Amino acid sequence: MQIITKALTEVQDGYDIAGIEWDDGTRSDVVYCPRPAVAAALAPIIVEVQNKVTPIFMSRLIGYCLHAKAVYGRLPTVLVFCVSGFSPQSMQKEMVRDEKRSWLYSASCNWWAVRCSIIYIKEDADFGGDEDNNNIEPLFALASFFNEQQPVMHAHSLASNAIIQQLYYLAMTETQLQKDYSENYAAAMNAICKTHELLYSKALKSLKMGKTNAHTSKILGRGLSYTATLKRKYSIAECDDSSSATDEEHPDYSPIASSSSPAPGMRKRLKDIEFVDQYRKNLKPLRMNWSACLKDGKAAGLFELYNTSESLRSNIRLIREQLKQT
């Protein structure tokens, strides 16, 4: 959140995560609302991650902004992470491209937003930094995380960047509860093989294009680092007599996962559900506020696995479904 709020408003700690569902049932991806102390000076922020920016999407986005105006009393600032470009492509010509950052566009938003920024990263985009020195603009690093959609960190082109590493760690934490090791064995092997294939293909391409040995060695070094990480993790599992066969046969394909971090027990899950049910009961007839519920739950020592209201909402629903099957 702080990467986005600082980039858009130059204020790092002035926002909280807000509810994403509007009165008509539509839902934004992310909404940040200014804290009471600075609410008069800051606009709410709406963040969308969109595969293709289309006229239909823009119409829906305008609706979100008008809802935000009704709720917060002022028009929002909008940030869109565009993954695959514009459709039709003529839409891109209507955007104003930033002179210094070729990957940042501005859309005309008179009457419905304070500002509408769209990030679209092409292959030849200039990220304005050296990935090893970690001086890449944070907003670009975040956008590249959405853009490349690599299943594992080592396959990402900015794998050594601190922000990318943090994002993969957070992604792993948020999805930990939803992992089912007994069903993910094939997916794990496929991800590992694809990562190696991608790195070898990049190295081969580097050689064919006549690039320097240092460039090719860097790619191969990334592959060796990935392999070494996997070897360290699973050689420990094989040598440990206390490791069950299930643990050895169903590896976690995320190289930053800890082999010693067990999934939370069912007792904790039931306590989380009990808290949510009681919170919802106390709110009636008001609508459920997942952001406030998350904040109160953490204050009570619960919700250890959740960092956002959306992850809390979706995982509580998942746990309920799992309980029905048992």
Side-chain angles (χ1 to χ4, degrees), residues 41-295:
L42 298 175
I45 296 174
I46 293 178
V47 183
E48 296 290 322
V49 180
Q50 181 70 13
N51 182 41
K52 277 187 178 292
V53 171
T54 65
I56 294 177
F57 165 74
M58 292 302 294
S59 297
R60 190 165 66 244
L61 182 61
I62 292 172
Y64 299 158
C65 292
L66 297 179
H67 282 303
K69 172 68 164 61
V71 173
Y72 300 106
R74 60 187 304 175
L75 294 175
T77 297
V78 176
L79 177 63
V80 178
F81 292 97
C82 175
V83 177
S84 302
F86 302 82
S87 180
Q89 292 184 353
S90 58
M91 287 186 67
Q92 188 171 347
K93 297 179 181 179
E94 300 174 11
M95 310 290 174
V96 178
R97 192 173 184 175
D98 190 275
E99 294 181 358
K100 296 182 179 180
R101 296 172 289 184
S102 61
W103 39 271
L104 182 61
Y105 297 81
S106 295
S108 176
C109 57
N110 292 337
W111 316 116
W112 56 271
V114 175
R115 184 172 74 217
C116 179
S117 301
I118 300 177
I119 297 179
Y120 172 46
I121 299 177
K122 295 183 178 180
E123 291 184 2
D124 59 347
D126 179 15
F127 51 78
D130 181 345
E131 61 175 280
D132 291 327
N133 292 332
N134 287 313
N135 59 351
I136 294 171
E137 187 168 345
L139 196 59
F140 181 91
L142 177 59
S144 72
F145 175 78
F146 294 126
N147 184 265
E148 294 193 24
Q149 301 182 36
Q150 297 294 349
V152 290
M153 183 182 68
H154 284 73
H156 196 282
S157 62
L158 305 178
S160 59
N161 180 268
I163 291 176
I164 292 296
Q165 292 174 0
Q166 182 184 21
L167 289 170
Y168 272 92
Y169 175 78
L170 291 173
M172 180 206 70
T173 303
E174 290 298 325
T175 57
Q176 185 73 27
L177 182 61
Q178 300 180 46
K179 283 188 176 182
D180 186 339
Y181 290 90
S182 64
E183 295 180 357
N184 281 351
Y185 178 76
M189 292 298 99
N190 186 47
I192 291 172
C193 292
K194 279 189 173 182
T195 299
H196 282 100
E197 288 173 358
L198 178 64
L199 291 169
Y200 294 149
S201 296
K202 285 185 176 181
L204 184 60
K205 183 179 179 181
S206 176
L207 290 172
K208 288 182 177 179
M209 293 177 67
K211 293 192 175 183
T212 63
N213 290 337
H215 184 272
T216 306
S217 297
K218 187 176 181 179
I219 297 173
L220 293 174
R222 195 184 301 163
L224 288 173
S225 174
Y226 176 54
T227 302
T229 302
L230 293 172
K231 185 177 179 181
R232 284 195 302 270
K233 177 175 181 177
Y234 298 119
S235 62
I236 292 173
E238 292 171 359
C239 296
D240 187 352
D241 292 336
S242 64
S243 298
S244 67
T246 303
D247 291 335
E248 296 176 13
E249 292 172 1
H250 302 292
D252 173 8
Y253 57 83
S254 172
I256 53 177
S258 170
S259 59
S260 61
S261 25
M266 184 55 69
R267 186 175 299 176
K268 282 189 175 181
R269 301 185 191 186
L270 291 173
K271 285 185 177 179
D272 288 347
I273 289 180
E274 288 174 4
F275 184 89
V276 169
D277 289 342
Q278 187 61 44
Y279 190 89
R280 192 194 300 269
K281 182 178 179 181
N282 293 340
L283 270 182
K284 286 183 178 181
L286 299 177
R287 191 176 66 181
M288 178 65 172
N289 187 329
W290 287 98
S291 297
C293 180
L294 175 68
K295 185 177 180 180

